[in-house]
Amino acid sequence: FVLSQPPSVSVAPGRTARITCGGSDIENVHWYRQGPGQAPLLVLYDDIHRPSGIPERFSGSNSGNAATLTIATVEAGDEADYYCQVWDPKNDHPVFGGGTKLTVL
Amino acid sequence: QVQLQESGPGLLRPSETLSLTCDVSGASMRLYYLTWFRQSPGRELQWIGYIYFSGYNKYNASLKSRVSMSVDSSQTKFSLRLTSLTVADTAVYYCARRRLGESKFDPWGRGTLVTV
């Protein structure tokens, strides 16, 4: 399993950010936000579900070959690294994408 | 609500052994795995291994010869041991919880920096 993420995405405040996670036949993709000096925080799970406390501005989709994390009405506080993750059932361990740094212009 | 907290020495020398603890509070770990990760300054997250509350474990093949994990009888204190340290083991080490049958990690500990 290899998950490919763009190293960086830049977006102006108030616009929509889209971060992609490419792979082959990926399912149940999870997304984590990691602010500077912080631990990863789950922001989406199983492609589309938001944990309690995550704003509705965060949404997700998955075509099977690419999952997308969409952040609507981006705020300065959304600036962070975002990682996608799936489970490798053959080897029974998690796989992470390389991370995408979201910059709010 | 469940909280995880890593603790251990922040500075070690090459060839020494790292021992970290992840203390779990606020909920039972029954039916959960405790997973260890690390993240080097280059930001890539690396899976180290996981241990089930019963003691079953699985380690990353690249670290398997140097890693061991354990859980105490109260199932609230999970330990990671990494031997024969090198500079390449310098990283922030995290523990995180994963429920049996699921694949997401939530929550994570705040992490602890280990410098070799």
Side-chain angles (χ1 to χ4, degrees):
Chain A
F1 266 86
V2 177
L3 298 179
S4 301
Q5 295 184 240
S8 63
V9 167
S10 298
V11 62
R15 305 301 293 264
T16 296
R18 293 179 180 85
I19 300 173
T20 58
C21 177
S24 179
D25 294 328
I26 53 175
E27 55 185 20
N28 296 327
V29 178
H30 315 304
W31 290 92
Y32 302 86
R33 174 192 186 280
Q34 187 176 32
Q38 299 178 353
L41 172 70
L42 183 70
V43 295
L44 278 180
Y45 65 95
D46 293 342
D47 299 331
I48 61 173
H49 299 286
R50 282 187 315 275
S52 174
I54 301 302
E56 292 183 8
R57 302 186 296 106
F58 288 76
S59 62
S61 63
N62 185 3
S63 68
N65 291 316
T68 302
L69 168 67
T70 301
I71 308 173
T73 320
V74 166
E75 304 169 355
D78 295 327
E79 195 164 275
D81 293 328
Y82 290 84
Y83 294 87
C84 60
Q85 177 247 318
V86 298
W87 192 262
D88 179 349
K90 178 179 179 181
N91 296 297
D92 202 21
H93 66 71
V95 176
F96 284 85
T100 298
K101 181 176 181 59
L102 175 65
T103 299
V104 181
L105 301 172
Chain B
Q1 79 195 45
V2 62
Q3 291 186 320
L4 283 63
Q5 179 65 61
E6 306 87 348
S7 62
L11 182 62
L12 291 161
R13 299 178 186 275
S15 79
E16 291 186 331
T17 295
L18 171 66
S19 293
L20 294 178
T21 299
C22 178
D23 290 299
V24 180
S25 60
S28 170
M29 283 296 287
R30 185 171 179 80
L31 300 182
Y32 287 91
Y33 293 89
L34 191 287
T35 303
W36 288 94
F37 297 94
R38 68 183 184 180
Q39 187 173 37
S40 62
R43 89 176 183 210
E44 180 177 341
L45 280 163
Q46 182 183 30
W47 169 73
I48 298 173
Y50 56 75
I51 182 167
Y52 195 48
F53 78 98
S54 63
Y56 168 80
N57 56 61
K58 185 177 179 69
Y59 305 143
N60 186 319
S62 67
L63 298 170
K64 190 174 183 178
S65 63
R66 300 194 291 131
V67 169
S68 62
M69 298 178 185
S70 61
V71 54
D72 75 346
S73 58
S74 69
Q75 299 171 7
T76 63
K77 195 177 296 290
F78 293 78
S79 298
L80 167 69
R81 190 167 179 267
L82 184 64
T83 63
S84 303
L85 293 174
T86 71
V87 173
D89 294 311
T90 295
V92 176
Y93 286 72
Y94 296 98
C95 56
R97 189 184 74 161
R98 176 176 67 91
R99 186 178 175 85
L100 176 67
E102 299 182 357
S103 59
K104 66 182 185 294
F105 297 96
D106 182 47
W108 295 60
R110 298 178 69 176
T112 186
L113 174 62
V114 175
T115 301
V116 181

